[in-house]
Amino acid sequence: MSKLHITRRTALKGFGAAAGTLAMPSILRAADQVKIGFIAPLTGSEAILGIVQLQCYQLAIDHLNAAGGIGGREIISLTEDDETNAKSTIDKTRKLVADDNVDLVLGTLASFERTAALSVTSRAKKLFIYPTYYEGGDCSPLLVNTGQVPNQQIDPLAEYLTANVGKSVYVIGHDYIWPRGSTEQLKAGLEARGGSLAGAEFVPFGMTDFGPSFAKIKAANPDIVSFMLVADDAITAVKQYHSFGMKQPLVFHAWDEVSLGAVTPAEQAGILSSQGYFQQIDSPANNAFTKAFAEKFGADKPINYIGVSVYQTAMLYAKAVEKAGSVEPEKVVAAISQVEVDGPIGVMRVEAGNNHAVLPNYLAKVNDSAKLEILQKNEPKPPVTSCSL
Amino acid sequence: MPVKGFAVYFELVLNIATTVSVLMLIALGLAIVFGLMNILNMAHGELVTVGAFTVSLVQVNGGSFWLGVVAAMAVGAALGVLLERGLIRFLYDRPMGVILVTWGVSLIIQQGLLLSFGPSPQIVYTPVEGSIEFFDSAYPRYRLVLIVAAFLTVAVTGLIMARTRFGLDLRTVIQNREVAEILGIDTRRVFMIAFAGSSALAALAGALVAPMTKIVPTMGAEYLAPSFFVVIVGGAGSLAGTVAGSTLIGGLRTVLDYQVPSTLSQALVLIAAVLVVRLRPRGLVPA
């Protein structure tokens, strides 16, 4: 019954589109618009991060529209909520690709969302740009990754830890691909410098007590503890780590400006983070960005790397479309490695061989008043991915 | 070396006690409404959430943690009265209706909190900072407070049920409502107070776990399944059953967490629970 209804509606839409196409010359219509489908976790357990992604995306669209669109084309923007789960990500990506016929799918946050979205876009031959740091290893002809991969984010961390903090690291992570993949990379980075992985435990989502995990850490007696947890459980873990008075320094490379408001200053003091951007960066481009962000959303709203990367990625896409003179996925992908864009993150450019970005890294530490202070900057490095095109 | 070994076991016992305490606190209210009154309250988890949010709100406005705990119980009780008088009293004969209605209420509370507080987690400052050192190992002071509070709460609830006039009335109503009414007991009042009491217990549980967990609108939902679990395994209808169920589930979970990955230990605990229900269909300590 409902199936019939949808079919009829889709058919009507088809007629409508056909009539529209007949009404105006197709070349004009195609040259007129860029349709961007933005998808992020706006509800569910990753919503606090997804909302910053959305804000930064909106700011990018504002700035591009103020400059007259992309290469003279009007931007049509569609936003979808992937609800922090794989099924909704697939459903919403299908909607963007099949119903809305977008030129670009931009977004997603967790790796399971990326995998879900890619399964739809790659079959539909649509361009998909993933702007978040991840464990690496995903190459696909029409996929562009503009976030950090482990050699850019985790390797500098391993280098810093072995030189300044200690040699052995114990990891507690969630049981899925991002923590497992990142742990492998951390292990390699430590071992290359005479360090070691003292142990790793991967826990299911919805943990309420980390007491037994901490007992295992005490037994392993590492120099450093590293969390690779996401969403709400990360908060539980940080709170309990503090309450147990654990002596090992805590590394949590995903702890960012958004996390700072989630626990008390005492509970997070000393956490080491490692990302491609921190709000504190003092550069003309970042100062202009943070000012514009504060004007639109309020000075008290946090900005993090996950969000800023969406902003700068949208800018990079715009340049690629201008360069290609087309919104056709193949042409845009070919052009995207020939352009670069300076922004809050610094100069961002994509390498042609694997469609991953060249990016810098920053190490920061949470101080006693719950602020991230940058300790060290690593200059931009080319991505090392275990895949190629 | 033997001292070190002793410290490990001591910590294991404390970790078990913590898990058991949290389970017990959250299942206690459920044991009363589900076990005794036979009401499947799907919003029980959200009452836990409300308790945690109340503490946070009290602290933000300058109040102390313990004032927050008292306020949480008051808010929980008030919500309980509202729920019972407004919805549940019309549905005592329609168990399916109760499930649907309380599930709806749980969604309304979750989304209501999300709309009014936003998706960012709330902050609660622990009333007792730091950890106690014993044999070269440290244990959080607050967890000891939690363990004591949980056992006190169970003891007080048990005393009310066994020794007070209200407890007697409630037990009478549960055994035979018609006879209770003939004897002159106001059954509607008894059910209302029992429901309010169980809601206050849920909110108290939320307030007490707040310093050691995330405080987000969905937090309570994670506790709903384990607490039903505890009540069914322990034996619906008896407080001793709740204690037994919490001890079995919590103890097993913690001991297994030490030995195998958490993902596996969760599955093993579920299998154990299925076995218990198969071999003792009415639970460990039947009413």
Side-chain angles (χ1 to χ4, degrees):
Chain A
M1 178 62 196
S2 67
K3 197 173 179 185
L4 184 70
H5 179 70
I6 286 171
T7 320
R8 201 166 53 191
R9 195 159 55 177
T10 318
L12 273 174
K13 263 191 202 162
F15 286 128
T21 317
L22 283 177
M24 54 182 159
S26 61
I27 289 174
L28 243 186
R29 198 200 65 81
D32 252 342
Q33 295 180 343
V34 186
K35 245 187 180 181
I36 302 178
F38 174 72
I39 180 163
L42 305 178
T43 57
S45 61
E46 299 273 25
I48 43 172
L49 297 166
I51 282 165
V52 186
Q53 286 188 306
L54 176 63
Q55 290 169 331
C56 292
Y57 170 72
Q58 286 169 341
L59 202 56
I61 298 301
D62 284 0
H63 287 177
L64 289 171
N65 274 332
I70 298 177
R73 290 173 167 83
E74 181 196 354
I75 300 170
I76 308 288
S77 168
L78 298 143
T79 298
E80 291 294 341
D81 173 14
D82 72 28
E83 298 167 30
T84 324
N85 72 62
K87 187 189 173 298
S88 285
T89 309
I90 289 180
D91 292 346
K92 301 293 178 65
T93 310
R94 275 201 188 128
K95 181 204 163 270
L96 288 173
V97 164
D99 295 355
D100 303 323
N101 195 23
V102 295
D103 299 308
L104 163 71
V105 174
L106 169 65
T108 72
L109 176 57
S111 286
F112 60 83
E113 298 165 37
R114 178 193 67 252
T115 314
L118 182 62
S119 73
V120 176
T121 56
S122 63
R123 248 173 271 164
K125 304 263 187 294
K126 288 285 182 184
L127 176 60
F128 173 36
I129 306 188
Y130 178 66
T132 315
Y133 57 85
Y134 83 114
E135 66 283 352
D138 250 358
C139 292
S140 181
L142 297 181
L143 168 71
V144 177
N145 296 278
T146 56
Q148 287 179 309
V149 287
N151 82 296
Q152 297 164 327
Q153 181 179 29
I154 292 177
D155 206 52
L157 178 66
E159 186 181 7
Y160 178 85
L161 293 178
T162 46
N164 301 294
V165 190
K167 296 283 185 197
S168 62
V169 181
Y170 191 103
V171 175
I172 298 183
H174 270 132
D175 201 352
Y176 78 104
I177 188 164
W178 174 71
R180 282 186 178 271
S182 303
T183 301
E184 282 306 309
Q185 305 278 349
L186 178 64
K187 184 171 182 242
L190 290 168
E191 283 172 356
R193 298 174 180 88
S196 67
L197 187 72
E201 187 190 7
F202 297 100
V203 301
F205 286 92
M207 286 285 282
T208 49
D209 185 13
F210 286 89
S213 302
F214 296 159
K216 285 182 201 168
I217 292 177
K218 284 179 190 172
N221 195 27
D223 299 330
I224 300 158
V225 174
S226 165
F227 283 175
M228 298 194 192
L229 301 161
V230 296
D232 307 334
D233 290 354
I235 290 153
T236 304
V238 166
K239 276 183 163 187
Q240 296 187 3
Y241 193 81
H242 172 72
S243 77
F244 267 85
M246 301 286 286
K247 62 182 190 337
Q248 287 87 355
L250 181 60
V251 174
F252 196 162
H253 72 272
W255 196 258
D256 63 25
E257 288 82 351
V258 171
S259 322
L260 296 175
V263 299
T264 66
E267 284 165 341
Q268 57 186 315
I271 292 179
L272 271 169
S273 178
S274 175
Q275 306 219 350
Y277 167 93
F278 287 102
Q279 198 172 341
Q280 195 203 357
I281 292 171
D282 186 17
S283 71
N286 186 44
N287 294 341
F289 175 81
T290 51
K291 187 163 168 280
F293 189 93
E295 275 167 13
K296 190 169 166 76
F297 301 106
D300 59 327
K301 295 285 184 291
I303 306 172
N304 62 1
Y305 174 45
I306 284 172
V308 166
S309 185
V310 173
Y311 174 85
Q312 198 158 331
T313 299
M315 296 301 174
L316 187 71
Y317 172 74
K319 285 216 170 170
V321 169
E322 279 169 25
K323 172 97 185 166
S326 160
V327 291
E328 269 176 55
E330 289 81 7
K331 289 184 182 165
V332 176
V333 169
I336 205 164
S337 55
Q338 298 166 33
V339 294
E340 58 180 40
V341 60
D342 192 11
I345 294 172
V347 175
M348 180 191 262
R349 83 185 161 79
V350 168
E351 286 208 333
N354 49 35
N355 285 351
H356 282 65
V358 179
L359 292 165
N361 189 65
Y362 297 86
L363 284 156
K365 193 177 193 172
V366 181
N367 69 14
D368 291 338
S369 47
K371 292 270 176 295
L372 278 157
E373 276 177 6
I374 294 171
L375 300 173
Q376 150 182 336
K377 181 188 178 182
N378 287 73
E379 290 307 315
K381 263 195 212 178
V384 176
T385 56
S386 50
C387 62
S388 59
L389 291 167
Chain B
M1 197 59 199
V3 175
K4 178 107 182 148
F6 179 71
V8 169
Y9 285 112
F10 199 55
E11 189 171 333
L12 171 65
V13 170
L14 287 176
N15 275 332
I16 291 174
T18 306
T19 314
V20 172
S21 298
V22 172
L23 281 176
M24 223 159 53
L25 272 171
I26 292 169
L28 196 56
L30 207 65
I32 296 173
V33 284
F34 172 58
L36 297 174
M37 294 160 67
N38 216 6
I39 298 169
L40 258 169
N41 182 11
M42 301 293 284
H44 190 75
E46 276 58 43
L47 291 164
V48 173
T49 313
V50 166
F53 271 74
T54 308
V55 176
S56 171
L57 208 58
V58 168
Q59 281 195 338
V60 165
N61 291 300
S64 77
F65 176 79
W66 297 110
L67 179 68
V69 171
V70 175
M73 287 186 76
V75 170
L79 258 177
V81 171
L82 209 68
L83 259 174
E84 204 274 344
R85 288 288 88 185
L87 297 168
I88 296 183
R89 69 173 161 135
F90 304 111
L91 300 164
Y92 282 124
D93 308 328
R94 297 167 57 191
M96 286 306 280
V98 172
I99 296 177
L100 271 179
V101 164
T102 52
W103 184 56
V105 169
S106 82
L107 293 180
I108 292 169
I109 295 179
Q110 254 187 43
Q111 299 303 319
L113 288 172
L114 189 65
L115 285 175
S116 30
F117 289 87
S120 300
Q122 305 302 309
I123 288 181
V124 162
Y125 290 85
T126 167
V128 276
E129 267 284 343
S131 48
I132 286 180
E133 292 278 330
F134 58 92
F135 311 117
D136 199 29
S137 188
Y139 206 74
R141 284 172 202 273
Y142 181 72
R143 289 186 172 221
L144 303 178
V145 174
L146 177 84
I147 293 166
V148 173
F151 281 88
L152 271 180
T153 309
V154 172
V156 170
T157 311
L159 277 178
I160 290 174
M161 294 295 285
R163 292 290 156 85
T164 63
R165 178 65 200 268
F166 169 75
L168 187 64
D169 284 358
L170 180 60
R171 282 180 292 142
T172 314
V173 174
I174 287 158
Q175 277 191 1
N176 194 324
R177 192 167 174 175
E178 276 167 23
V179 173
E181 273 180 7
I182 292 166
L183 287 172
I185 298 170
D186 185 349
T187 57
R188 289 182 311 171
R189 187 173 152 273
V190 169
F191 268 27
M192 186 189 80
I193 296 176
F195 196 84
S198 99
S199 305
L201 282 172
L204 170 70
L208 288 173
V209 299
M212 51 183 282
T213 190
K214 68 230 171 184
I215 303 158
V216 292
T218 49
M219 66 181 282
E222 268 167 26
Y223 292 110
L224 187 69
S227 46
F228 267 115
F229 216 54
V230 160
V231 172
I232 291 166
V233 166
S238 79
L239 289 188
T242 306
V243 176
S246 310
T247 310
L248 179 80
I249 301 284
L252 200 60
R253 176 78 208 268
T254 310
V255 170
L256 284 172
D257 268 346
Y258 271 71
Q259 312 297 333
V260 297
S262 305
T263 318
L264 183 58
S265 86
Q266 267 189 7
L268 291 174
V269 171
L270 273 167
I271 292 170
V274 170
L275 285 176
V276 169
V277 175
R278 173 68 189 85
L279 299 172
R280 291 185 68 92
R282 297 186 58 221
L284 292 170
V285 188

